[in-house]
Amino acid sequence: MTLTLKATFHSSMRILLSTALMLGATAAVPAVATKAVAPDFTLRTMEGPNLRLQEQRGRVVLVNFWATWCGPCKAEIPGFVELQAKYKDDLVIVGFSVDDPADKAKAFAAEYKMNYPILLGEGREDVQESYGPIWGIPASFLISKDGKVCRKHLGIAPTSVFEKEIVA
């Protein structure tokens, strides 16, 4: 996709998502259990070093696709900060900023006191597609200690639901 086409696509998706939210389409798709091995990826973190998903085995991983402009994402992130602090030895939350440049994601992460790795996904739609289709955000995937996707949430979900799934 060219840069102009990509920007137009992202702009159209924002309008579509905003319209759906205004029309009341706010309910999340229920979590669906799967047993597929989580698609591996290596991406640069906001801090600079790369993070490879496969290297997180042995810990529960929560991959959360989000963006700075997404209202439901903003509502969900404080719960992730709380869970990361509470379960820091057994859990790693990985925030995947779908289309924000590093400077914007960094300012957002500081404002929301995000205490977990933030991946810069701008231009890496291949990662989203490997977990998808992801038609909207937030989208979260809970990955077991052995690297299998065990739950997914397409849309916002309460912190209490994530916590029950993390400790299960």
Side-chain angles (χ1 to χ4, degrees), residues 2-163:
T2 66
L3 188 55
T4 305
L5 183 58
K6 193 180 295 185
T8 302
F9 171 76
H10 287 294
S11 179
S12 297
M13 290 305 295
R14 287 181 188 155
I15 292 168
L16 180 64
L17 180 59
S18 296
T19 303
L21 290 173
M22 288 186 326
L23 294 175
T26 58
V29 173
V32 178
T34 67
K35 296 192 176 165
V37 173
D40 193 24
F41 57 79
T42 302
L43 282 171
R44 184 172 63 92
T45 66
M46 189 175 60
E47 294 79 27
N50 286 338
L51 182 140
R52 183 172 183 203
L53 181 64
Q54 192 173 40
E55 292 173 357
Q56 307 307 313
R57 293 239 172 122
R59 297 171 77 185
V60 174
V61 178
L62 177 63
V63 178
N64 174 250
F65 293 89
W66 62 276
T68 58
W69 50 264
C70 168
C73 301
K74 293 176 184 181
E76 205 171 48
I77 287 171
F80 292 150
V81 170
E82 177 186 317
L83 291 171
Q84 183 63 63
K86 187 172 183 179
Y87 297 104
K88 63 184 174 196
D89 295 331
D90 298 313
L91 170 70
V92 61
I93 296 176
V94 177
F96 186 100
S97 174
V98 298
D99 63 359
D100 294 303
D103 58 337
K104 195 169 186 177
K106 191 169 191 167
F108 182 88
E111 178 182 347
Y112 282 83
K113 299 176 175 57
M114 295 169 82
N115 57 352
Y116 48 88
I118 306 300
L119 304 179
L120 301 173
E122 185 177 36
R124 290 298 308 268
E125 290 80 11
D126 60 309
V127 176
Q128 294 175 65
E129 290 167 9
S130 70
Y131 281 84
I134 298 175
W135 296 104
I137 54 174
S140 300
F141 297 81
L142 192 68
I143 302 168
S144 62
K145 291 180 180 185
D146 63 352
K148 294 181 180 171
V149 176
C150 53
R151 304 296 278 177
K152 65 181 176 180
H153 295 272
L154 303 177
I156 191 168
T159 303
S160 60
V161 170
F162 286 111
E163 186 166 23

